[in-house]
Amino acid sequence: GICRPLHPVPTMPAPKNANETYCTFTLASDVTAGGLPSEEEIAKQLESSNDEDKKFALKACIMAMLGGEAMPRILMQVIRFCINSNDKQLKKLCMLYWEVVPKYQEAADGEPRKMLPEMLLVCNALMNDLTHPNEYVRGSMLRFLCKVKEEEILGPLMPSIKACLEHRHSYVRKNAALAIFHAHRLYGEALLPDAPEIMAAFLNNETDISARRNAFLMMLNEAEELAIQFLATHLDQVGEYGDGFLLLVLELTRRVCRRDPAQKSRFVRVLFQMLGSDSAAVSYEAAWTLVSLSSAPTAVRAAAVTYTHLLNSSQDNNVKLIVLERLEDLKAKHNKILQELLMDILRGLASPNPDICQKVLEVSMDIVTSRNVAEVVNVLKREVGKTTAADSNETSEAKGSQTYRALLVKAIHGCAVKFPHVAESVVDVLMDFLSFQDGSGMQVIILFRAIVEQYPELRPTILSKLINVVDEIASNPVMCVCLWILGEYCEESGNLTDAYDAIMEQLGEANFIIAPDEAAAEDEAAATAAPKMITKNVVLADGTYATQTVYSEAPKPEVSNMPNLRKMLVGGDVFLGTLVASSLTKMCLRAEDVGVAAATVKKWTVDSLLMMCAIVKVAEVTVNAQRSSLSDCTERMTLCCRALLDPKAKELLKPSLLNDGKATFATFLASLKQDDKKAGEDKDGDAAAGPTTQADDLIHFRQLRNMAVQGGDVDLDDGADLARATGYDNAGSLLESELSHVYPLSGFADPVYAEALVTVHDYDIVLEILVINRTPNTLSNLTVELSTMGDMKIVERPQAHTIGPLDQMTIRASIKVSSTETGHIFGTIVYEDSSTMEKGYINLNDIHMDIMDYIRPAFCTDEAFRSMWAEFEWENKVAIATSIEDLKVFLNHIVTSTNMTCLTPHDPKERGSFLAANLYARSVFGEDALVNVSVEKKDDNDGKLAGYIRIRSKTQGIALSLGDRITSVQRGLPDSN
């Protein structure tokens, strides 16, 4: 017998329209709203004398052919009734139809294809339009010919296209140049052997900007040497040829110089000429081209000047950001050149956009030197003054005055730290910001704290000014730092007395508890100050009635004259109270050594003790967020009291209280300086890294290799070349990574075995499902039906397939992920046995998506971490239950297992029974994950670790998923095997 396949192998059907091979347009229309008409109806409507009916029928025909309908009868109808119409829209639809309609007859196997006879009539109609007296008809036809790819159609039209190069109207000439470029690119010498010479002559005589640009485009791609000759001949007039032409010249420059670097000298003049172009696009491209081709200081300086001019003259924020990125790239290799242009770069601070101002400061602060630091600081002080003097004007509002002010203060801080001689000049300007409650006040006080420690000669000036402005500080954290500075560094009798008097004046009486009648009076005043609504009926001017609602707001009560420090303590700020007690204690202890009278010291001591008692009392009766820290703060204030009352305690505690704080802070500043120095050295080391290969190493050229290698010898370089080409050097690890993401979906005993390789690309998950038919029968309509759980959506579902006996195939599916959260993929395989015609179902195993595929290590400052910790509302608390007995080993295990960054530095030499650390990571979707690890090694728990790991995030999914991950990995270290 004759063996035939159960199912015939499908053959590719002939294309129903020409756009199945290439698509050049999209037709948006509502003709399909009520369903497309049939071929007979379309043919009948095309015979109508009404142009609107013809348009509707032609649109419906185009839509049907794009959908796969053949419609062979319509071609002759269009030729008979639409091809000679003068209606512009109908002509355009005819062009779209010529683009879609099949132009060749179906050819048998091995025979050359033949063009339809009807296309001769079409070519005649196209030629008529190319000779039409209306220039716009000619131009639109030339534009259409740029989309035609059939040589049999383009060939007869070439004389008419060449004739259009001499038309009086520029619209026809520029489209004719594009049509010639298109034809020569497709068929070259066959259709237009003299096209480069024709276009060179056309270019020499052409005066229109667009036509000249199109002609030069053709020469650039088809006759490069002629384009270079034209450029050399007309070098002085290039600036008059328009932006489009100049951009093509830059493209020619890059192409030639990269292929032959010796040709750079031919283009240097034109590059420098284009740097001064009025067009931002041309000058930017010219600067970028110049830097990419040459690293000479003259070229880099000219490019940098162009960038700074664009930064200050452009109104587009996107242009400014792109230019700043280019300046930052130049800074890595040409730092000294940018130092000369620093003041021009700082002019970019005039932009109202805060992102641009931030980028300007990032670029500028790294190139500040001792020669220009004074001018830079003056610019920054002037900008700071603008934010304070004009907080209500439009510019400040647009920038976000608080954010911008914080950036400026940070920049001034950096200049003062690097260049001590300017520190004194910024003190007066920054002192006013201590009263601000945004982040700028905290930055200023931290700057003063560092200056006071590092520059003793500036201490008297700063301390006297801090004493004068302590009554204006309204921020609790700023007040804490200010009190610490006064308590640590007031070492002379004069400023010590002034500081103590200023603090006690701010504290007032030693009683911070508000009486009940005062509290009731305040509540009543607040209720009285609330706005009241009065509604009444009024008679309008025309005699009608209306209802009038009036909001009457009581006059604002006078601001309480209670000092800011006392107001903070009355509010129950326990931390601030502890700082007050510590500062007063240090002043009393130091007063004995600097010559303050004994009676005065005794009075200070008594007043300080009374104040501490009052602070503890108000802390006990006030309910606030710091209530949980009351016991620690009380213990601290008790220690201060003992230091003032007990002579033995004073003798033991006085050196620690007066000296250890400053010594520890000095060590902290030294470590910061060392870290900055090390980071700079690492950055310089990366920039000046040594060569990856030695100068005398052999260079292997694959194309010049001996043919014996291609005959079967082992090539030792192939693996390295492939690894470099793919960007992956460890093929073994790659295979291991792929195998770890292969999930079996069904069992070996099932009729169909399936396994999936899961590949995660940030927002996308690609499933490659291997399906093996383990039966001796053909399975038809085999479909893998997938479903997801979580924030995942299937965007490409697997299609139905037919699989032969004991055959296999790979089916792909694509899933979109929208958030960081644990997800599940599950599904079923449905198939039909061709021999028994029975349907079968196989339930697949679930695929559990690991959250670690989306988590990336990241870094943030301690201030940002605390801010996000207070802001995020979702928290997951995980109790520690582990067999690991070492604190740091446990912390490193958690950091490694969760793919996070530890923000808390730990000295490996330190040993203790308690450890606390903050971890931070960010998902590929931009979600922040915060983790706090608090672990303790208890002796009463057989040396086991105990504590909690707290996870906070803005969304619930990442908190729960990360908690599940920590719970699963915390029990012990992975097996080393």
Side-chain angles (χ1 to χ4, degrees), residues 2 71 86 155-156 168 203 227 252 274 302 316 353 361 502 519 533 595 606 631 640 671 722 752 914 941 944:
I2 300 175
M71 294 202 172
N86 292 323
R168 58 180 176 78
L203 189 59
L252 174 65
M274 282 188 284
D316 191 341
N353 189 291
L361 293 175
M533 183 177 65
V606 174
S631 58
C640 294
S671 66
L722 290 175
V752 177
F914 180 80
N941 196 22
K944 293 183 178 180

Side-chain angles (χ1 to χ4, degrees), residues 880 886-892 902 904 906-907 910 912-918 932-937 946 948:
I880 294 176
D886 187 87
L887 294 172
K888 293 184 178 176
V889 172
F890 176 75
L891 175 62
N892 293 334
C902 182
T904 307
H906 291 93
D907 190 349
E910 292 182 357
S913 60
F914 180 80
L915 185 144
N918 293 330
N932 174 261
V933 180
S934 298
V935 58
E936 182 180 7
K937 188 172 185 178
Y948 291 95

Side-chain angles (χ1 to χ4, degrees), residues 862-968:
D862 292 339
E863 292 80 5
F865 186 92
R866 286 195 293 268
S867 175
M868 288 187 289
W869 188 269
E871 176 187 352
F872 292 169
E873 57 183 356
W874 290 103
E875 177 173 317
N876 190 4
K877 192 173 183 181
V878 179
I880 294 176
T882 181
S883 60
I884 303 174
E885 298 182 353
D886 187 87
L887 294 172
K888 293 184 178 176
V889 172
F890 176 75
L891 175 62
N892 293 334
H893 174 57
I894 294 297
V895 171
T896 305
S897 302
T898 57
N899 207 17
M900 305 190 80
T901 301
C902 182
L903 304 179
T904 307
H906 291 93
D907 190 349
K909 300 179 182 178
E910 292 182 357
R911 290 290 181 267
S913 60
F914 180 80
L915 185 144
N918 293 330
L919 312 182
Y920 177 70
R922 182 179 291 118
S923 72
V924 297
F925 309 102
E927 300 168 322
D928 299 295
L930 313 178
V931 174
N932 174 261
V933 180
S934 298
V935 58
E936 182 180 7
K937 188 172 185 178
K938 293 187 175 181
D939 296 334
D940 56 353
N941 196 22
D942 298 331
K944 293 183 178 180
L945 304 184
Y948 291 95
I949 299 176
R950 299 167 64 194
I951 307 154
R952 286 198 181 184
S953 65
K954 187 174 290 186
T955 58
Q956 182 184 18
I958 192 171
L960 295 178
S961 302
L962 203 53
D964 294 340
R965 171 70 178 177
I966 292 175
T967 302
S968 64

